[in-house]
Amino acid sequence: MEQTRERLLNTAADMFSTQGYAGVSMREIARVMGITQAAIYHHFPSKDALYIAAVTFVFEKQTLEISEQMSAIDSPAERLVLMISAMLEAMEEDPRFRRIYLRELLEGDEQKIAAIAENAFTAFYEPLYQLMGELAPGSDRQLHIFSLAGLIFHHLEARKLAPHLPHANEGKTTIPSLARHITNLFMYGVSS
Amino acid sequence: MEQTRERLLNTAADMFSTQGYAGVSMREIARVMGITQAAIYHHFPSKDALYIAAVTFVFEKQTLEISEQMSAIDSPAERLVLMISAMLEAMEEDPRFRRIYLRELLEGDEQKIAAIAENAFTAFYEPLYQLMGELAPGSDRQLHIFSLAGLIFHHLEARKLAPHLPHANEGKTTIPSLARHITNLFMYGVSS
DNA sequence: GTCTATAACATGATAGAC
DNA sequence: GTCTATCATGTTATAGAC
């Protein structure tokens, strides 16, 4: 079955994205899969190859899913709202992409950073670059894209911090409310 | 000498912050220190204890350094400028705090997340919570604090991504220019 | 495609000399 | 305060049977 390979990719991606490369052993992956560690080597020649395949698998899935929803038909402001919602929803449904992205940003060497730039960003980057040019002509578009990414990534991860902080709200932060908050801040700033 | 202990804390913090807990071995730390692995156990009883001590060491240093610069004498808008600059400069000079924070946010269990909330945020959180109330009365202050943190953390890490992306600027992004960008966006939004 | 068995090495931790 | 030596275990990876 070619199905085992995909299940292996999914399992490995789950574990690598939350525990990191060094934090996951082949035995652990095999145990979760319900097979022995040696069996993995029938599908991938090394831990490194499995990691790269799993990361590529997740990145392609996520960039495809998001870029599908990036229609260019609306006005710039409407397009921003749609893009923010689409990114939040896709990265909420599958947290693996954002976690691998953030982790590689922390510890990745030059080569992996370059791979991230090529694989992860090309799908979003051009539509966003175009959009920033319409929303704020003459500005540094790359800085604005990094700002938007920072808002989205950090809000999604920081939610688990919220209940432990002073002045915590009682209710959970929903994705639609996050989308509203980020859109407003990005468009009009804190005083909006 | 009590100096060895501090040098050990610094070395371990450097390595843990960039490679993560599982990515660093006691032998590697010892090799960088120029001693043998067994000697570490004279200072700390386990790898876990060393990690916790190193993280606490870095967090106390950073929160002290930043909270010193958070004067409450200026107008809200001026205070925002000063806080953003202070955080960017402190976290640029010593990247360990922000890296450990981001990593623990990714893979920390409930207990470590609670410890982060208590140790890392209390120093910034109250002054920022106060500030947000003045800048945007009636808004969700916690969401705004998370937004500001996301902007600062992500911009600092994303710089290494910039040269690999399309439309890259020739010059490097400086801390003052980052401070201006973040302040403007946070105050007035993208159209400022 | 998965198993058992094993090789070759790395890891956290301890004992005891100096 | 650091060393050498060692233990028990965990690690990636391979060989070969089924």
Side-chain angles (χ1 to χ4, degrees), chain A residues 93-173:
Chain A
E93 193 211 316
D94 184 350
R96 298 177 299 184
F97 169 85
R98 65 177 209 248
R99 301 226 167 107
I100 295 169
Y101 166 82
L102 288 172
R103 192 187 307 276
E104 289 296 347
L105 210 53
L106 285 180
E107 66 194 65
D109 53 27
E110 195 71 16
Q111 194 183 347
K112 279 189 181 165
I113 295 290
I116 292 261
E118 193 171 341
N119 299 328
F121 266 78
T122 38
F124 323 131
Y125 200 78
E126 285 300 336
L128 283 174
Y129 195 83
Q130 168 77 18
L131 176 61
M132 295 306 160
E134 296 172 58
L135 283 174
S139 68
D140 188 325
R141 306 187 199 183
Q142 192 175 81
L143 281 185
H144 276 130
I145 292 175
F146 283 168
S147 288
L148 192 56
L151 289 169
I152 290 171
F153 286 127
H154 190 256
H155 269 294
L156 286 171
E157 294 299 333
R159 283 175 299 169
K160 71 178 76 150
L161 209 56
H164 300 100
L165 289 169
H167 320 296
N169 298 335
E170 63 278 6
K172 281 180 194 167
T173 307

Side-chain angles (χ1 to χ4, degrees), chain A residues 17-20 22-24 80 98-99 101-108 110 113-114 116-118 121-122 125-126 129 132 135-136 139-140 142-151 153-155 157-169 173 177-178 181-182 184-192, chain B residues 17-20 22-24 80 98-99 101-108 110 113-114 116-118 121-122 125-126 129 132 135-136 139-140 142-151 153-155 157-169 173 177-178 181-182 184-192:
Chain A
S17 71
T18 53
Q19 299 169 250
V24 176
L80 179 72
R98 65 177 209 248
R99 301 226 167 107
Y101 166 82
L102 288 172
R103 192 187 307 276
E104 289 296 347
L105 210 53
L106 285 180
E107 66 194 65
E110 195 71 16
I113 295 290
I116 292 261
E118 193 171 341
F121 266 78
T122 38
Y125 200 78
E126 285 300 336
Y129 195 83
M132 295 306 160
L135 283 174
S139 68
D140 188 325
Q142 192 175 81
L143 281 185
H144 276 130
I145 292 175
F146 283 168
S147 288
L148 192 56
L151 289 169
F153 286 127
H154 190 256
H155 269 294
E157 294 299 333
R159 283 175 299 169
K160 71 178 76 150
L161 209 56
H164 300 100
L165 289 169
H167 320 296
N169 298 335
T173 307
S177 76
L178 266 189
H181 175 86
I182 293 175
N184 275 330
L185 181 69
F186 197 79
M187 283 296 288
Y188 310 112
V190 73
S191 52
S192 65
Chain B
S17 70
T18 54
Q19 298 169 252
V24 176
L80 180 71
R98 66 178 209 247
R99 302 228 168 106
Y101 166 82
L102 288 171
R103 192 187 307 276
E104 289 295 348
L105 209 54
L106 285 179
E107 65 195 63
E110 195 71 14
I113 295 289
I116 292 261
E118 193 171 340
F121 266 79
T122 37
Y125 199 78
E126 285 301 335
Y129 194 82
M132 295 307 161
L135 283 173
S139 68
D140 188 325
Q142 190 175 81
L143 281 184
H144 276 129
I145 292 174
F146 283 168
S147 288
L148 192 55
L151 288 169
F153 287 127
H154 190 255
H155 269 292
E157 294 300 331
R159 283 175 298 169
K160 69 179 76 151
L161 209 56
H164 301 102
L165 288 169
H167 320 295
N169 298 337
T173 307
S177 75
L178 266 189
H181 175 85
I182 293 176
N184 275 329
L185 181 68
F186 197 78
M187 283 296 289
Y188 311 112
V190 73
S191 51
S192 65

Side-chain angles (χ1 to χ4, degrees), chain A residues 26-27 37 41 47:
Chain A
M26 299 294 264
R27 275 179 174 79
Q37 167 247 29
Y41 289 85
K47 184 184 178 183

Side-chain angles (χ1 to χ4, degrees), chain A residues 20-107:
Chain A
Y21 180 84
V24 176
S25 71
M26 299 294 264
R27 275 179 174 79
E28 263 187 84
I29 298 171
R31 191 181 48 76
V32 173
M33 287 276 295
I35 59 177
T36 57
Q37 167 247 29
I40 297 179
Y41 289 85
H42 176 77
H43 303 277
F44 297 96
S46 68
K47 184 184 178 183
D48 236 84
L50 173 59
Y51 177 77
I52 290 170
V55 167
T56 307
F57 175 74
V58 165
F59 275 38
E60 280 173 0
K61 179 172 171 290
Q62 186 95 117
T63 52
L64 182 72
E65 198 160 309
I66 292 180
S67 64
E68 271 175 1
Q69 306 200 28
M70 286 194 168
S71 59
I73 50 168
D74 302 293
S75 74
E78 283 170 2
R79 228 184 312 147
L80 179 72
V81 176
L82 290 178
M83 283 187 183
I84 290 174
S85 288
M87 288 194 259
L88 280 171
E89 279 160 23
M91 291 180 188
E92 163 77 352
E93 193 211 316
D94 184 350
R96 298 177 299 184
F97 169 85
R98 65 177 209 248
R99 301 226 167 107
I100 295 169
Y101 166 82
L102 288 172
R103 192 187 307 276
E104 289 296 347
L105 210 53
L106 285 180
E107 66 194 65

